[in-house]
Amino acid sequence: MKAAVWNGRHDVRVENVPDPSIEKPTDAVIRVTSSGLCGSDLHLYEVLAPFMTPGDVLGHEPMGVVEETGSQVTGLAPGDRVVVPFQISCGHCFMCERGLQTQCETTQVRDQGSGAALFGYTKLYGAVPGAQAEYLRVPQAQYGPIKVPSGLPDDRYLFLSDVLPTAWQAVEYAEVPEGGTLAVLGLGPIGEMACRIALHRGVSQVIGIDLVPERLARARSRGVHTLDLRQHEGKGELGDAVRDLTEGRGADSVVDAVGMEAHGNDAARLAQNAAAVLPGKAAEKVAQKASVDRLAAFEAAVDMVRRGGTISLSGVYGGTADPLPMLTLFDKQIRLRMGQANVKHWVPDILPLLTDDDPLGVDDFATHHLPLDEAARAYEMFQRKDDGAVKVVFRP
């Protein structure tokens, strides 16, 4: 089959790889009909290269049609249409029963000290072959796949794999008080969807922050008050702009949807790039022991949130030696919530919104639909934010 394969930093190719097959009785194999390109995939394209191996199949946002099931998969049958969450979880362990599927004790990657295995996401999370491919083996298929109706376009349901639950959890963790303000840093797929969800849930004021004109325009068209980062790049200027909109206090809650590759922090960027180009084992050792994130977005969140407010981190961070502003966090009594989204925990809240009324605008959320053969171009376009690329969907 064809698949998008990682071959090195900034080097994604579409290659022929072996077809997946049933390996365990809890497996299923699906024929992929759509697969998203995520901002998290760009971390593999850039700073997380030390944890990748040439030949790794990328992607973690799939939906498709069941082709085959293992003997212990009783809830699925060939021909069923399914969305597959990006994390692999069993549904019956201590963590899954508490709605923490990203901490699943059955699939935890213990030799790396990591949580649940993820599709297409480095050796830290199991190096499980990913979903930007024609077919996908789905472990723990007795629990993970979400059956969806036939007859509607894939885009109605595809974003249940990651975007919708990640954005939903970001807003839930933000705990915006009634009548409060939510600021969202970064208007990529997760940040923009978080804005849409917050407005749908009745948040009084949603402030979206980015520096890409097309992303700012998309958010404004949905009723978001936007701030252009390029106009507030001086020290403290962005926080001042938010305080000007919030009676001088700052936002009640902030979602950081940017993560480790924030605009700014030139020293951290150089350190990330240096680690990424070191030879194999040396790069991995540095990344495991002394990696740093670009913390511009997080530092901006700390500045703009009001005292006693909440910061919700949905952007991926991977640094092991980040210098955090602990004095300010402590003094302002800021609450932090973070982590990969627990997809199955939020699906019951989200599914009722995927109706013909389409209140979250999922039907036209993707900006680009491309054949899998164009994966290399898509990664480059998405990283450079060319051609208004916000959300790319592959059609294998």
Side-chain angles (χ1 to χ4, degrees):
M1 69 171 183
K2 291 181 179 179
V5 173
W6 188 92
N7 278 280
R9 189 166 176 258
H10 299 165
D11 186 358
V12 171
R13 307 173 197 173
V14 176
E15 298 178 353
N16 287 315
V17 302
D19 290 351
S21 60
I22 300 294
E23 298 178 13
K24 295 182 178 181
T26 52
D27 287 350
V29 172
I30 71 165
R31 174 175 56 84
V32 179
T33 56
S34 290
S35 187
L37 173 56
C38 179
S40 297
D41 293 322
L42 294 184
H43 300 322
L44 313 182
Y45 193 65
E46 185 77 45
V47 302
L48 293 181
F51 300 110
M52 299 293 289
T53 302
D56 284 348
V57 178
L58 299 164
H60 58 268
E61 297 184 353
M63 72 175 293
V65 177
V66 176
E67 293 281 303
E68 187 180 2
T69 60
S71 60
Q72 294 181 19
V73 179
T74 57
L76 295 178
D80 285 344
R81 189 186 193 199
V82 295
V83 177
V84 181
F86 69 90
Q87 81 262 163
I88 302 167
S89 54
C90 71
H92 57 73
C93 70
F94 177 92
M95 291 295 179
C96 286
E97 287 178 349
R98 285 155 180 77
L100 295 169
Q101 288 87 355
T102 58
Q103 310 303 324
C104 175
E105 292 182 324
T106 301
T107 72
Q108 278 179 18
V109 186
R110 289 182 171 83
D111 63 338
Q112 299 289 339
S114 300
L118 309 179
F119 288 103
Y121 212 78
T122 82
K123 66 180 69 175
L124 294 178
Y125 290 97
V128 181
Q132 290 167 8
E134 294 180 301
Y135 293 90
L136 177 70
R137 180 178 76 90
V138 182
Q140 302 296 324
Q142 83 288 347
Y143 174 69
I146 304 158
K147 286 201 288 189
V148 296
S150 58
L152 292 170
D154 278 9
D155 283 19
R156 180 66 61 89
Y157 300 108
L158 171 64
F159 306 115
L160 280 171
S161 61
D162 184 351
V163 173
L164 284 166
T166 298
W168 192 276
Q169 179 171 294
V171 174
E172 188 76 19
Y173 281 8
E175 298 182 329
V176 187
E178 185 175 354
T181 294
L182 174 68
V184 178
L185 283 157
L187 296 174
I190 303 303
E192 188 194 346
M193 185 56 73
C195 290
R196 296 184 183 195
I197 289 168
L199 289 170
H200 175 76
R201 292 176 59 170
V203 173
S204 294
Q205 179 174 223
V206 178
I207 303 169
I209 301 159
D210 207 292
L211 48 68
V212 180
E214 294 89 347
R215 297 184 176 194
L216 291 163
R218 270 172 61 107
R220 276 196 302 272
S221 74
R222 304 287 302 195
V224 177
H225 185 107
T226 59
L227 294 175
D228 189 334
L229 180 61
R230 296 170 300 175
Q231 298 174 9
H232 304 283
E233 289 196 289
K235 183 177 176 62
E237 286 187 19
L238 186 59
D240 288 342
V242 172
R243 283 183 282 275
D244 286 344
L245 297 169
T246 55
E247 299 180 339
R249 295 189 187 92
D252 299 283
S253 306
V254 178
V255 168
D256 173 0
V258 178
M260 67 173 70
E261 293 185 78
H263 174 74
N265 285 105
D266 288 341
R269 176 178 56 81
L270 291 171
Q272 287 176 339
N273 290 342
V277 299
L278 287 170
K281 289 295 182 182
E284 186 175 339
K285 185 175 293 187
V286 169
Q288 285 178 323
K289 302 294 185 183
S291 58
V292 294
D293 295 307
R294 302 179 211 169
L295 292 174
F298 178 71
E299 290 165 351
V302 172
D303 180 37
M304 71 178 62
V305 72
R306 68 162 169 82
R307 292 179 178 274
T310 301
I311 296 175
S312 170
L313 302 180
S314 63
V316 174
Y317 284 94
T320 57
D322 288 333
L324 296 180
M326 292 304 299
L327 186 153
T328 305
L329 288 166
F330 184 85
D331 176 65
K332 291 183 71 173
Q333 202 168 335
I334 294 169
R335 289 169 293 179
L336 290 176
R337 294 207 67 183
M338 65 191 80
Q340 303 277 12
N342 303 295
V343 174
K344 293 293 290 275
H345 183 68
W346 305 115
V347 165
D349 295 312
I350 300 167
L351 261 177
L353 301 179
L354 303 183
T355 62
D356 287 341
D357 291 339
D358 193 18
L360 300 180
V362 294
D363 284 348
D364 60 1
F365 186 67
T367 54
H368 294 73
H369 293 87
L370 297 173
L372 186 61
D373 286 338
E374 296 188 31
R377 181 175 76 85
Y379 270 81
E380 182 178 3
M381 174 181 67
F382 189 34
Q383 189 200 38
R384 296 174 59 178
K385 303 178 178 65
D386 289 342
D387 195 30
V390 176
K391 188 62 183 178
V392 178
V393 174
F394 294 120
R395 295 281 168 76

